[in-house]
């Protein structure tokens, strides 16, 4: 097997900082393993039963109810489970919510994923870019008065957490009458969100909520009326909502795992406020090392919009960054290499990353800085936020 995880003994779990698919709670993996051959009381694996069987009826209903209670989804909104990843949503959103509208859709572009969403929307209809952080290398978010939103828009699209750059909205901006459409792929279920103020939320599951294969949509019911009858049925929110997410065979296993992750969150943290505080405390451990490093570690994100999910930073040279990744891997801290467009290091510390993993990374970072700082002349070389 080709891997940077050569040190892993058989059966040994490393601390996995992958941006996604990402670490899952051990309890969830154990439950999957335990029930893989036979769901209790069902006599078959979840992989082998009909998506219209009573057993899957309950999995679907419990998962939906669980998410609704955790997120506080009001009756005005509907939860839909789809396939195709968040990328398909980049197209489905304008197909359903922009097609036939006289107003453009506003996009606030705060990183790679927001840029991708805007690009795909422009293939479908009229897109207005209300802010684009490209010039500052997506190292910060706009202030409220920098966003030039149209007085009216079909909707306003944001990315709540830019996974690659590590910038995260702490509070969603007010979009007035225009429905807020938000890509919450990389901070879904990591903190509370006021669903009543949103038009549509979407998230692929493979970061905080389970495995690749299912994408969760939370849509305000009145917006379903915008889905044109001429849309191919598999691309219509209205059809999927009417068919209870079973217009075709849904990703049964991914929905099952999402349900297990929901229960793990409920049983471990109780609610999303508690989980958010836990996540912020974990992230602070790493940001404190950055801040104390006198420029050896240069954070990519401006301090006020640092992500609690993806901690991104550079070292004084690429050779030090390579050494950092290699030495960390030797200590069982893996998948820390940053995305090629940002470079440096990215530590993804989603819900399921244990505190012990973040503490171990913090200690490694402190030691690495101490042993390399004087040799590197860090203060001169590091450029601060980029
Ligand atoms: N949006 C964000 C914020 C993401 O982090 C990702 C995946 N990294 C995507 C969209 C794309 O998701 P998918 O690969 O499921 O299409």
């Amino acid at each position: 097997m080709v891997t940077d995880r050569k040190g892993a003994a058989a059966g040994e779990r490393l601390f996995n900082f992958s941006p996604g698919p990402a670490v899952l709670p051990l309890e969830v993996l154990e439950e999957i393993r335990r029930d893989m051959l036979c769901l209790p009381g069902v006599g078959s694996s979840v992989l082998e039963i009909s998506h219209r069987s009573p057993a899957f009826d309950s999995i679907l209903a419990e998962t939906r109810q669980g998410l609704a209670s955790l997120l506080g989804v009001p009756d005005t909104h509907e939860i839909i489970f789809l396939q195709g990843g968040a990328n398909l949503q980049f197209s489905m959103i304008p197909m359903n919510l922009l097609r036939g509208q006289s107003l453009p859709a506003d996009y606030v572009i705060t990183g790679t994923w927001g840029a991708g969403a805007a690009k795909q929307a422009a293939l479908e209809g009229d897109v207005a870019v209300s802010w684009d952080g490209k010039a500052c290398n997506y190292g910060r978010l706009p202030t409220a008065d920098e966003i030039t939103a149209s007085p009216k828009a079909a909707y306003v699209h944001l990315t709540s957490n830019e996974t690659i750059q590590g910038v995260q909205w702490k509070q969603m901006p007010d979009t007035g009458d225009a429905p807020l459409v938000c890509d919450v792929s990389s901070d879904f279920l990591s903190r509370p969100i006021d669903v009543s103020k949103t038009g549509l939320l979407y998230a692929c599951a493979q970061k905080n909520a389970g495995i690749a294969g299912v994408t969760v949509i939370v849509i305000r019911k009145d917006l379903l009326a915008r889905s044109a009858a001429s849309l191919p049925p598999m691309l219509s929110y209205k059809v999927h909502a009417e068919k209870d997410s079973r217009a075709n065979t849904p990703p049964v296993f991914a929905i099952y795992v999402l349900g297990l992750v929901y229960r793990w969150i409920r049983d471990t943290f109780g609610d999303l406020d508690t989980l958010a505080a836990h996540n912020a405390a974990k992230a602070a451990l790493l940001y404190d090392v950055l801040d104390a490093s006198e420029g050896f570690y240069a954070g990519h994100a401006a301090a006020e919009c640092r992500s609690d999910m993806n901690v991104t930073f550079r070292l004084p040279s690429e050779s030090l960054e390579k050494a950092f990744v290699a030495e960390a891997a030797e200590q069982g801290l893996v998948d820390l290499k940053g995305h090629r467009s940002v470079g440096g290091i990215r530590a993804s510390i989603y819900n399921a990353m244990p505190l012990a993993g973040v503490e171990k990374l913090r200690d490694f970072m402190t030691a690495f800085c101490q042993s390399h700082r004087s040799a590197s002349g860090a203060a001169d070389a590091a450029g601060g936020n980029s």
Side-chain angles (χ1 to χ4, degrees):
M1 198 177 175
V2 180
T3 176
D4 65 338
R5 299 156 175 241
K6 293 189 187 98
E12 180 196 359
R13 281 178 62 78
L14 304 175
F15 287 120
N16 168 17
F17 294 89
S18 164
V23 58
L24 284 162
L26 187 57
E27 294 89 332
V28 166
L29 290 171
E30 282 171 341
E31 204 170 343
I32 294 169
R33 178 169 64 178
R34 196 192 60 214
D35 294 345
M36 177 53 82
L37 297 186
C38 201
L39 275 180
V42 175
S44 297
S45 165
V46 66
L47 300 173
E48 304 169 300
I49 54 172
S50 164
H51 59 292
R52 302 200 187 279
S53 61
F56 189 72
D57 283 347
S58 354
I59 289 172
L60 186 65
E62 281 167 24
T63 304
R64 187 185 279 120
Q65 277 156 19
L67 290 185
S69 66
L70 198 60
L71 286 164
V73 176
D75 288 344
T76 44
H77 287 62
E78 173 106 23
I79 298 177
I80 309 176
F81 301 110
L82 297 181
Q83 306 190 49
N87 264 284
L88 182 62
Q89 295 313 304
F90 293 171
S91 301
M92 273 183 79
I93 288 162
M95 281 177 182
N96 284 266
L97 303 185
L98 185 56
R99 199 178 274 194
Q101 303 291 308
S102 54
L103 303 162
D106 277 356
Y107 277 70
V108 183
I109 302 179
T110 54
T112 309
W113 293 111
K119 196 168 164 200
Q120 293 192 39
L123 298 175
E124 174 61 33
D126 198 2
V127 163
V129 173
S130 349
W131 190 79
D132 188 342
K134 195 170 183 198
C136 62
N137 203 12
Y138 300 121
R140 69 173 182 88
L141 298 170
T143 57
D145 50 358
E146 281 178 310
I147 302 176
T148 52
S150 326
K152 285 201 155 173
Y155 59 86
V156 179
H157 182 281
L158 300 180
T159 312
S160 66
N161 181 67
E162 283 284 357
T163 323
I164 290 176
Q165 284 79 13
V167 291
Q168 183 179 34
W169 291 88
K170 298 300 162 195
Q171 224 180 344
M172 297 301 164
D174 183 8
T175 59
D177 290 341
L180 170 63
V181 172
C182 197
D183 178 355
V184 292
S185 289
S186 51
D187 60 4
F188 185 54
L189 303 185
S190 75
R191 58 175 180 167
I193 183 160
D194 186 349
V195 177
S196 70
K197 294 208 173 109
T198 66
L200 186 149
L201 297 171
Y202 64 104
C204 52
Q206 66 268 22
K207 291 152 196 308
N208 273 311
I211 60 168
V214 66
T215 305
V216 181
I217 318 295
V218 184
I219 184 168
R220 214 174 67 203
K221 286 176 185 163
D222 64 291
L223 292 174
L224 293 171
R226 289 199 198 175
S227 301
S230 57
L231 276 173
M234 290 303 107
L235 297 176
S236 162
Y237 292 133
K238 188 159 179 280
V239 168
H240 286 290
E242 281 170 2
K243 304 277 183 188
D244 190 30
S245 300
R246 287 185 279 196
N248 66 333
T249 312
V252 289
F253 187 61
I255 293 173
Y256 161 74
V257 177
L258 177 60
L260 299 185
V261 170
Y262 149 70
R263 275 197 265 148
W264 173 78
I265 293 175
R266 182 197 63 192
D267 297 345
T268 312
F269 300 98
D271 58 36
L272 291 182
D273 284 302
T274 309
L275 177 51
H278 175 75
N279 283 328
K282 281 193 312 191
L285 294 180
L286 303 185
Y287 288 121
D288 284 350
V289 178
L290 262 54
D291 292 340
S293 74
E294 295 171 7
F296 182 79
Y297 296 119
H300 179 78
E304 67 282 6
C305 39
R306 286 168 161 175
S307 167
D308 287 342
M309 299 284 104
N310 312 94
V311 178
T312 50
F313 55 94
R314 306 284 325 235
L315 273 73
S317 67
E318 282 189 19
S319 59
L320 274 174
E321 288 167 353
K322 272 196 184 132
F324 180 101
V325 171
E327 286 180 32
E330 277 167 25
Q331 298 200 19
L333 304 162
V334 295
D335 267 356
L336 282 161
K337 192 171 183 298
H339 189 271
R340 60 193 174 280
S341 61
V342 175
I345 309 297
R346 170 172 50 168
S348 298
I349 50 171
Y350 302 120
N351 290 342
M353 168 54 66
L355 178 62
V358 181
E359 285 172 344
K360 189 165 177 191
L361 176 59
R362 172 202 58 193
D363 295 344
F364 169 76
M365 287 170 67
T366 306
F368 190 90
C369 174
Q370 273 162 7
S371 59
H372 294 275
R373 183 166 51 198
S374 49
S376 68
D380 301 334
N385 294 326
S386 53

